[in-house]
PDB file of all heavy atoms in Angstrom:
ATOM      1  N   PRO A  44       2.639   9.551 -10.847  1.00 97.00           N
ATOM      2  CA  PRO A  44       2.826  10.521  -9.760  1.00 97.00           C
ATOM      3  C   PRO A  44       1.680  10.546  -8.746  1.00 97.00           C
ATOM      4  O   PRO A  44       1.588  11.466  -7.942  1.00 97.00           O
ATOM      5  CB  PRO A  44       2.948  11.854 -10.503  1.00 97.00           C
ATOM      6  CG  PRO A  44       2.176  11.658 -11.754  1.00 97.00           C
ATOM      7  CD  PRO A  44       2.357  10.197 -12.122  1.00 97.00           C
ATOM      8  N   LEU A  45       0.810   9.515  -8.785  1.00 97.00           N
ATOM      9  CA  LEU A  45      -0.345   9.416  -7.887  1.00 97.00           C
ATOM     10  C   LEU A  45      -1.274  10.613  -8.037  1.00 97.00           C
ATOM     11  O   LEU A  45      -1.813  11.139  -7.063  1.00 97.00           O
ATOM     12  CB  LEU A  45       0.107   9.240  -6.427  1.00 97.00           C
ATOM     13  CG  LEU A  45       0.925   7.982  -6.162  1.00 97.00           C
ATOM     14  CD1 LEU A  45       1.507   8.003  -4.758  1.00 97.00           C
ATOM     15  CD2 LEU A  45       0.074   6.739  -6.369  1.00 97.00           C
ATOM     16  N   LYS A  46      -1.448  11.042  -9.284  1.00 97.00           N
ATOM     17  CA  LYS A  46      -2.333  12.155  -9.606  1.00 97.00           C
ATOM     18  C   LYS A  46      -3.321  11.742 -10.687  1.00 97.00           C
ATOM     19  O   LYS A  46      -3.106  10.765 -11.402  1.00 97.00           O
ATOM     20  CB  LYS A  46      -1.521  13.364 -10.074  1.00 97.00           C
ATOM     21  CG  LYS A  46      -0.655  13.928  -8.975  1.00 97.00           C
ATOM     22  CD  LYS A  46       0.035  15.179  -9.390  1.00 97.00           C
ATOM     23  CE  LYS A  46       0.864  15.703  -8.219  1.00 97.00           C
ATOM     24  NZ  LYS A  46       1.507  16.962  -8.523  1.00 97.00           N
ATOM     25  N   THR A  47      -4.391  12.520 -10.817  1.00 97.00           N
ATOM     26  CA  THR A  47      -5.408  12.284 -11.835  1.00 97.00           C
ATOM     27  C   THR A  47      -5.023  13.006 -13.122  1.00 97.00           C
ATOM     28  O   THR A  47      -4.050  13.750 -13.166  1.00 97.00           O
ATOM     29  CB  THR A  47      -6.774  12.806 -11.371  1.00 97.00           C
ATOM     30  OG1 THR A  47      -6.696  14.235 -11.240  1.00 97.00           O
ATOM     31  CG2 THR A  47      -7.190  12.189 -10.047  1.00 97.00           C
ATOM     32  N   PHE A  48      -5.860  12.817 -14.158  1.00 97.00           N
ATOM     33  CA  PHE A  48      -5.648  13.537 -15.420  1.00 97.00           C
ATOM     34  C   PHE A  48      -5.587  15.043 -15.185  1.00 97.00           C
ATOM     35  O   PHE A  48      -4.846  15.759 -15.840  1.00 97.00           O
ATOM     36  CB  PHE A  48      -6.793  13.254 -16.408  1.00 97.00           C
ATOM     37  CG  PHE A  48      -6.775  11.865 -16.985  1.00 97.00           C
ATOM     38  CD1 PHE A  48      -7.860  11.019 -16.809  1.00 97.00           C
ATOM     39  CD2 PHE A  48      -5.706  11.404 -17.726  1.00 97.00           C
ATOM     40  CE1 PHE A  48      -7.872   9.743 -17.361  1.00 97.00           C
ATOM     41  CE2 PHE A  48      -5.694  10.137 -18.275  1.00 97.00           C
ATOM     42  CZ  PHE A  48      -6.785   9.307 -18.087  1.00 97.00           C
ATOM     43  N   ALA A  49      -6.392  15.533 -14.236  1.00 96.00           N
ATOM     44  CA  ALA A  49      -6.463  16.971 -13.949  1.00 96.00           C
ATOM     45  C   ALA A  49      -5.297  17.467 -13.107  1.00 96.00           C
ATOM     46  O   ALA A  49      -5.177  18.659 -12.855  1.00 96.00           O
ATOM     47  CB  ALA A  49      -7.779  17.287 -13.244  1.00 96.00           C
ATOM     48  N   GLY A  50      -4.434  16.550 -12.662  1.00 96.00           N
ATOM     49  CA  GLY A  50      -3.276  16.946 -11.869  1.00 96.00           C
ATOM     50  C   GLY A  50      -3.535  16.961 -10.374  1.00 96.00           C
ATOM     51  O   GLY A  50      -2.674  17.384  -9.603  1.00 96.00           O
ATOM     52  N   ASN A  51      -4.705  16.501  -9.943  1.00 96.00           N
ATOM     53  CA  ASN A  51      -5.029  16.449  -8.516  1.00 96.00           C
ATOM     54  C   ASN A  51      -4.519  15.153  -7.898  1.00 96.00           C
ATOM     55  O   ASN A  51      -4.499  14.108  -8.548  1.00 96.00           O
ATOM     56  CB  ASN A  51      -6.547  16.530  -8.316  1.00 96.00           C
ATOM     57  CG  ASN A  51      -7.133  17.780  -8.910  1.00 96.00           C
ATOM     58  OD1 ASN A  51      -6.546  18.849  -8.828  1.00 96.00           O
ATOM     59  ND2 ASN A  51      -8.279  17.655  -9.524  1.00 96.00           N
ATOM     60  N   LYS A  52      -4.145  15.229  -6.633  1.00 95.00           N
ATOM     61  CA  LYS A  52      -3.707  14.038  -5.911  1.00 95.00           C
ATOM     62  C   LYS A  52      -4.888  13.068  -5.810  1.00 95.00           C
ATOM     63  O   LYS A  52      -6.017  13.474  -5.532  1.00 95.00           O
ATOM     64  CB  LYS A  52      -3.235  14.447  -4.517  1.00 95.00           C
ATOM     65  CG  LYS A  52      -2.632  13.342  -3.723  1.00 95.00           C
ATOM     66  CD  LYS A  52      -2.101  13.889  -2.396  1.00 95.00           C
ATOM     67  CE  LYS A  52      -1.487  12.769  -1.599  1.00 95.00           C
ATOM     68  NZ  LYS A  52      -0.942  13.261  -0.331  1.00 95.00           N
ATOM     69  N   VAL A  53      -4.636  11.772  -6.051  1.00 97.00           N
ATOM     70  CA  VAL A  53      -5.725  10.801  -5.981  1.00 97.00           C
ATOM     71  C   VAL A  53      -6.203  10.648  -4.539  1.00 97.00           C
ATOM     72  O   VAL A  53      -5.446  10.867  -3.595  1.00 97.00           O
ATOM     73  CB  VAL A  53      -5.321   9.418  -6.554  1.00 97.00           C
ATOM     74  CG1 VAL A  53      -5.055   9.512  -8.034  1.00 97.00           C
ATOM     75  CG2 VAL A  53      -4.152   8.822  -5.821  1.00 97.00           C
ATOM     76  N   THR A  54      -7.454  10.270  -4.394  1.00 96.00           N
ATOM     77  CA  THR A  54      -8.027  10.045  -3.073  1.00 96.00           C
ATOM     78  C   THR A  54      -7.673   8.647  -2.584  1.00 96.00           C
ATOM     79  O   THR A  54      -7.215   7.801  -3.348  1.00 96.00           O
ATOM     80  CB  THR A  54      -9.557  10.206  -3.113  1.00 96.00           C
ATOM     81  OG1 THR A  54     -10.093   9.269  -4.046  1.00 96.00           O
ATOM     82  CG2 THR A  54      -9.946  11.613  -3.523  1.00 96.00           C
ATOM     83  N   SER A  55      -7.924   8.398  -1.319  1.00 97.00           N
ATOM     84  CA  SER A  55      -7.695   7.068  -0.763  1.00 97.00           C
ATOM     85  C   SER A  55      -8.595   6.060  -1.453  1.00 97.00           C
ATOM     86  O   SER A  55      -9.751   6.353  -1.758  1.00 97.00           O
ATOM     87  CB  SER A  55      -7.995   7.063   0.738  1.00 97.00           C
ATOM     88  OG  SER A  55      -7.081   7.858   1.430  1.00 97.00           O
ATOM     89  N   GLY A  56      -8.077   4.878  -1.695  1.00 97.00           N
ATOM     90  CA  GLY A  56      -8.871   3.831  -2.317  1.00 97.00           C
ATOM     91  C   GLY A  56      -8.000   2.826  -3.051  1.00 97.00           C
ATOM     92  O   GLY A  56      -6.772   2.914  -3.051  1.00 97.00           O
ATOM     93  N   VAL A  57      -8.676   1.878  -3.686  1.00 98.00           N
ATOM     94  CA  VAL A  57      -8.004   0.850  -4.462  1.00 98.00           C
ATOM     95  C   VAL A  57      -7.963   1.281  -5.921  1.00 98.00           C
ATOM     96  O   VAL A  57      -8.976   1.718  -6.468  1.00 98.00           O
ATOM     97  CB  VAL A  57      -8.727  -0.507  -4.330  1.00 98.00           C
ATOM     98  CG1 VAL A  57      -8.091  -1.552  -5.230  1.00 98.00           C
ATOM     99  CG2 VAL A  57      -8.731  -0.970  -2.881  1.00 98.00           C
ATOM    100  N   TYR A  58      -6.814   1.146  -6.544  1.00 98.00           N
ATOM    101  CA  TYR A  58      -6.636   1.499  -7.946  1.00 98.00           C
ATOM    102  C   TYR A  58      -6.176   0.261  -8.707  1.00 98.00           C
ATOM    103  O   TYR A  58      -5.313  -0.480  -8.237  1.00 98.00           O
ATOM    104  CB  TYR A  58      -5.626   2.642  -8.094  1.00 98.00           C
ATOM    105  CG  TYR A  58      -6.200   3.931  -7.548  1.00 98.00           C
ATOM    106  CD1 TYR A  58      -6.108   4.238  -6.202  1.00 98.00           C
ATOM    107  CD2 TYR A  58      -6.888   4.806  -8.378  1.00 98.00           C
ATOM    108  CE1 TYR A  58      -6.672   5.388  -5.681  1.00 98.00           C
ATOM    109  CE2 TYR A  58      -7.453   5.959  -7.862  1.00 98.00           C
ATOM    110  CZ  TYR A  58      -7.342   6.243  -6.523  1.00 98.00           C
ATOM    111  OH  TYR A  58      -7.923   7.379  -6.018  1.00 98.00           O
ATOM    112  N   VAL A  59      -6.782   0.035  -9.863  1.00 95.00           N
ATOM    113  CA  VAL A  59      -6.463  -1.119 -10.692  1.00 95.00           C
ATOM    114  C   VAL A  59      -5.638  -0.645 -11.879  1.00 95.00           C
ATOM    115  O   VAL A  59      -5.994   0.335 -12.542  1.00 95.00           O
ATOM    116  CB  VAL A  59      -7.738  -1.828 -11.178  1.00 95.00           C
ATOM    117  CG1 VAL A  59      -7.387  -3.057 -12.007  1.00 95.00           C
ATOM    118  CG2 VAL A  59      -8.618  -2.216  -9.995  1.00 95.00           C
ATOM    119  N   ILE A  60      -4.543  -1.339 -12.145  1.00 95.00           N
ATOM    120  CA  ILE A  60      -3.677  -0.986 -13.268  1.00 95.00           C
ATOM    121  C   ILE A  60      -3.962  -1.969 -14.390  1.00 95.00           C
ATOM    122  O   ILE A  60      -3.875  -3.178 -14.208  1.00 95.00           O
ATOM    123  CB  ILE A  60      -2.205  -1.027 -12.845  1.00 95.00           C
ATOM    124  CG1 ILE A  60      -1.993  -0.025 -11.710  1.00 95.00           C
ATOM    125  CG2 ILE A  60      -1.293  -0.731 -14.032  1.00 95.00           C
ATOM    126  CD1 ILE A  60      -0.656  -0.096 -11.054  1.00 95.00           C
ATOM    127  N   TYR A  61      -4.340  -1.415 -15.540  1.00 93.00           N
ATOM    128  CA  TYR A  61      -4.653  -2.208 -16.732  1.00 93.00           C
ATOM    129  C   TYR A  61      -3.590  -1.966 -17.784  1.00 93.00           C
ATOM    130  O   TYR A  61      -3.041  -0.874 -17.889  1.00 93.00           O
ATOM    131  CB  TYR A  61      -6.002  -1.782 -17.332  1.00 93.00           C
ATOM    132  CG  TYR A  61      -7.188  -2.056 -16.457  1.00 93.00           C
ATOM    133  CD1 TYR A  61      -7.681  -1.078 -15.595  1.00 93.00           C
ATOM    134  CD2 TYR A  61      -7.844  -3.281 -16.502  1.00 93.00           C
ATOM    135  CE1 TYR A  61      -8.781  -1.324 -14.800  1.00 93.00           C
ATOM    136  CE2 TYR A  61      -8.946  -3.531 -15.714  1.00 93.00           C
ATOM    137  CZ  TYR A  61      -9.419  -2.550 -14.866  1.00 93.00           C
ATOM    138  OH  TYR A  61     -10.510  -2.794 -14.077  1.00 93.00           O
ATOM    139  N   THR A  62      -3.332  -2.973 -18.589  1.00 92.00           N
ATOM    140  CA  THR A  62      -2.442  -2.814 -19.736  1.00 92.00           C
ATOM    141  C   THR A  62      -3.153  -3.357 -20.970  1.00 92.00           C
ATOM    142  O   THR A  62      -3.919  -4.307 -20.878  1.00 92.00           O
ATOM    143  CB  THR A  62      -1.091  -3.518 -19.515  1.00 92.00           C
ATOM    144  OG1 THR A  62      -0.230  -3.238 -20.607  1.00 92.00           O
ATOM    145  CG2 THR A  62      -1.239  -4.995 -19.349  1.00 92.00           C
ATOM    146  N   ALA A  63      -2.923  -2.733 -22.104  1.00 87.00           N
ATOM    147  CA  ALA A  63      -3.553  -3.166 -23.349  1.00 87.00           C
ATOM    148  C   ALA A  63      -2.740  -4.277 -23.980  1.00 87.00           C
ATOM    149  O   ALA A  63      -1.528  -4.165 -24.121  1.00 87.00           O
ATOM    150  CB  ALA A  63      -3.678  -1.998 -24.321  1.00 87.00           C
ATOM    151  N   THR A  64      -3.424  -5.349 -24.361  1.00 71.00           N
ATOM    152  CA  THR A  64      -2.764  -6.455 -25.043  1.00 71.00           C
ATOM    153  C   THR A  64      -2.643  -6.123 -26.525  1.00 71.00           C
ATOM    154  O   THR A  64      -3.148  -5.106 -26.993  1.00 71.00           O
ATOM    155  CB  THR A  64      -3.561  -7.758 -24.864  1.00 71.00           C
ATOM    156  OG1 THR A  64      -4.855  -7.577 -25.440  1.00 71.00           O
ATOM    157  CG2 THR A  64      -3.698  -8.114 -23.400  1.00 71.00           C
ATOM    158  N   THR A  65      -2.004  -6.999 -27.271  1.00 70.00           N
ATOM    159  CA  THR A  65      -1.814  -6.752 -28.702  1.00 70.00           C
ATOM    160  C   THR A  65      -3.120  -6.697 -29.465  1.00 70.00           C
ATOM    161  O   THR A  65      -3.202  -6.070 -30.516  1.00 70.00           O
ATOM    162  CB  THR A  65      -0.912  -7.829 -29.333  1.00 70.00           C
ATOM    163  OG1 THR A  65      -1.471  -9.110 -29.054  1.00 70.00           O
ATOM    164  CG2 THR A  65       0.494  -7.750 -28.776  1.00 70.00           C
ATOM    165  N   ASP A  66      -4.169  -7.339 -28.934  1.00 72.00           N
ATOM    166  CA  ASP A  66      -5.473  -7.275 -29.595  1.00 72.00           C
ATOM    167  C   ASP A  66      -6.341  -6.155 -29.009  1.00 72.00           C
ATOM    168  O   ASP A  66      -7.554  -6.149 -29.165  1.00 72.00           O
ATOM    169  CB  ASP A  66      -6.203  -8.614 -29.535  1.00 72.00           C
ATOM    170  CG  ASP A  66      -6.403  -9.118 -28.113  1.00 72.00           C
ATOM    171  OD1 ASP A  66      -6.014  -8.411 -27.157  1.00 72.00           O
ATOM    172  OD2 ASP A  66      -6.952 -10.225 -27.963  1.00 72.00           O
ATOM    173  N   ALA A  67      -5.715  -5.220 -28.308  1.00 76.00           N
ATOM    174  CA  ALA A  67      -6.345  -4.027 -27.740  1.00 76.00           C
ATOM    175  C   ALA A  67      -7.290  -4.329 -26.581  1.00 76.00           C
ATOM    176  O   ALA A  67      -8.057  -3.485 -26.171  1.00 76.00           O
ATOM    177  CB  ALA A  67      -7.060  -3.216 -28.814  1.00 76.00           C
ATOM    178  N   GLU A  68      -7.210  -5.518 -26.032  1.00 76.00           N
ATOM    179  CA  GLU A  68      -8.034  -5.863 -24.872  1.00 76.00           C
ATOM    180  C   GLU A  68      -7.305  -5.422 -23.598  1.00 76.00           C
ATOM    181  O   GLU A  68      -6.108  -5.642 -23.448  1.00 76.00           O
ATOM    182  CB  GLU A  68      -8.270  -7.371 -24.832  1.00 76.00           C
ATOM    183  CG  GLU A  68      -9.152  -7.808 -23.694  1.00 76.00           C
ATOM    184  CD  GLU A  68      -9.399  -9.305 -23.713  1.00 76.00           C
ATOM    185  OE1 GLU A  68      -9.233  -9.933 -24.774  1.00 76.00           O
ATOM    186  OE2 GLU A  68      -9.757  -9.830 -22.656  1.00 76.00           O
ATOM    187  N   LEU A  69      -8.043  -4.776 -22.690  1.00 80.00           N
ATOM    188  CA  LEU A  69      -7.447  -4.359 -21.428  1.00 80.00           C
ATOM    189  C   LEU A  69      -7.477  -5.514 -20.432  1.00 80.00           C
ATOM    190  O   LEU A  69      -8.482  -6.197 -20.293  1.00 80.00           O
ATOM    191  CB  LEU A  69      -8.211  -3.164 -20.840  1.00 80.00           C
ATOM    192  CG  LEU A  69      -8.025  -1.830 -21.531  1.00 80.00           C
ATOM    193  CD1 LEU A  69      -8.896  -0.771 -20.874  1.00 80.00           C
ATOM    194  CD2 LEU A  69      -6.576  -1.390 -21.481  1.00 80.00           C
ATOM    195  N   ARG A  70      -6.356  -5.706 -19.750  1.00 83.00           N
ATOM    196  CA  ARG A  70      -6.269  -6.747 -18.723  1.00 83.00           C
ATOM    197  C   ARG A  70      -5.670  -6.130 -17.465  1.00 83.00           C
ATOM    198  O   ARG A  70      -4.708  -5.375 -17.535  1.00 83.00           O
ATOM    199  CB  ARG A  70      -5.376  -7.887 -19.192  1.00 83.00           C
ATOM    200  CG  ARG A  70      -5.930  -8.603 -20.398  1.00 83.00           C
ATOM    201  CD  ARG A  70      -5.049  -9.800 -20.724  1.00 83.00           C
ATOM    202  NE  ARG A  70      -5.429 -10.352 -22.012  1.00 83.00           N
ATOM    203  CZ  ARG A  70      -6.232 -11.394 -22.163  1.00 83.00           C
ATOM    204  NH1 ARG A  70      -6.754 -11.967 -21.122  1.00 83.00           N
ATOM    205  NH2 ARG A  70      -6.509 -11.838 -23.372  1.00 83.00           N
ATOM    206  N   ALA A  71      -6.250  -6.479 -16.327  1.00 81.00           N
ATOM    207  CA  ALA A  71      -5.730  -5.988 -15.057  1.00 81.00           C
ATOM    208  C   ALA A  71      -4.400  -6.681 -14.763  1.00 81.00           C
ATOM    209  O   ALA A  71      -4.272  -7.881 -14.940  1.00 81.00           O
ATOM    210  CB  ALA A  71      -6.719  -6.259 -13.947  1.00 81.00           C
ATOM    211  N   VAL A  72      -3.412  -5.901 -14.348  1.00 85.00           N
ATOM    212  CA  VAL A  72      -2.116  -6.475 -14.031  1.00 85.00           C
ATOM    213  C   VAL A  72      -1.746  -6.287 -12.558  1.00 85.00           C
ATOM    214  O   VAL A  72      -0.893  -6.995 -12.052  1.00 85.00           O
ATOM    215  CB  VAL A  72      -0.981  -5.908 -14.925  1.00 85.00           C
ATOM    216  CG1 VAL A  72      -1.187  -6.321 -16.355  1.00 85.00           C
ATOM    217  CG2 VAL A  72      -0.865  -4.416 -14.797  1.00 85.00           C
ATOM    218  N   SER A  73      -2.403  -5.345 -11.885  1.00 92.00           N
ATOM    219  CA  SER A  73      -2.064  -5.103 -10.496  1.00 92.00           C
ATOM    220  C   SER A  73      -3.132  -4.250  -9.826  1.00 92.00           C
ATOM    221  O   SER A  73      -3.900  -3.567 -10.508  1.00 92.00           O
ATOM    222  CB  SER A  73      -0.717  -4.390 -10.407  1.00 92.00           C
ATOM    223  OG  SER A  73      -0.298  -4.267  -9.063  1.00 92.00           O
ATOM    224  N   LYS A  74      -3.156  -4.298  -8.502  1.00 95.00           N
ATOM    225  CA  LYS A  74      -4.018  -3.432  -7.705  1.00 95.00           C
ATOM    226  C   LYS A  74      -3.127  -2.715  -6.695  1.00 95.00           C
ATOM    227  O   LYS A  74      -2.196  -3.303  -6.149  1.00 95.00           O
ATOM    228  CB  LYS A  74      -5.075  -4.230  -6.953  1.00 95.00           C
ATOM    229  CG  LYS A  74      -6.126  -4.836  -7.843  1.00 95.00           C
ATOM    230  CD  LYS A  74      -7.155  -5.569  -6.999  1.00 95.00           C
ATOM    231  CE  LYS A  74      -8.165  -6.245  -7.887  1.00 95.00           C
ATOM    232  NZ  LYS A  74      -9.123  -7.037  -7.103  1.00 95.00           N
ATOM    233  N   ILE A  75      -3.459  -1.464  -6.469  1.00 96.00           N
ATOM    234  CA  ILE A  75      -2.686  -0.643  -5.528  1.00 96.00           C
ATOM    235  C   ILE A  75      -3.651  -0.015  -4.540  1.00 96.00           C
ATOM    236  O   ILE A  75      -4.676   0.533  -4.933  1.00 96.00           O
ATOM    237  CB  ILE A  75      -1.940   0.484  -6.278  1.00 96.00           C
ATOM    238  CG1 ILE A  75      -1.041  -0.075  -7.376  1.00 96.00           C
ATOM    239  CG2 ILE A  75      -1.171   1.374  -5.323  1.00 96.00           C
ATOM    240  CD1 ILE A  75       0.108  -0.905  -6.895  1.00 96.00           C
ATOM    241  N   LEU A  76      -3.313  -0.056  -3.261  1.00 97.00           N
ATOM    242  CA  LEU A  76      -4.098   0.620  -2.234  1.00 97.00           C
ATOM    243  C   LEU A  76      -3.391   1.912  -1.885  1.00 97.00           C
ATOM    244  O   LEU A  76      -2.218   1.913  -1.504  1.00 97.00           O
ATOM    245  CB  LEU A  76      -4.223  -0.269  -0.992  1.00 97.00           C
ATOM    246  CG  LEU A  76      -4.893   0.368   0.219  1.00 97.00           C
ATOM    247  CD1 LEU A  76      -6.344   0.737  -0.095  1.00 97.00           C
ATOM    248  CD2 LEU A  76      -4.822  -0.549   1.412  1.00 97.00           C
ATOM    249  N   VAL A  77      -4.121   3.023  -2.012  1.00 97.00           N
ATOM    250  CA  VAL A  77      -3.584   4.337  -1.671  1.00 97.00           C
ATOM    251  C   VAL A  77      -4.322   4.823  -0.426  1.00 97.00           C
ATOM    252  O   VAL A  77      -5.554   4.846  -0.398  1.00 97.00           O
ATOM    253  CB  VAL A  77      -3.770   5.351  -2.822  1.00 97.00           C
ATOM    254  CG1 VAL A  77      -3.282   6.730  -2.396  1.00 97.00           C
ATOM    255  CG2 VAL A  77      -3.030   4.874  -4.064  1.00 97.00           C
TER     256      VAL A  77
END
Side-chain angles (χ1 to χ4, degrees):
L45 299 171
K46 294 185 179 183
T47 65
F48 288 121
N51 302 321
K52 186 176 180 179
V53 294
T54 59
S55 294
V57 175
Y58 291 85
V59 182
I60 300 171
Y61 295 94
T62 185
T64 61
T65 55
D66 57 2
E68 182 178 339
L69 287 177
R70 296 185 190 262
V72 294
S73 186
K74 291 182 183 176
I75 304 294
L76 174 63
V77 176

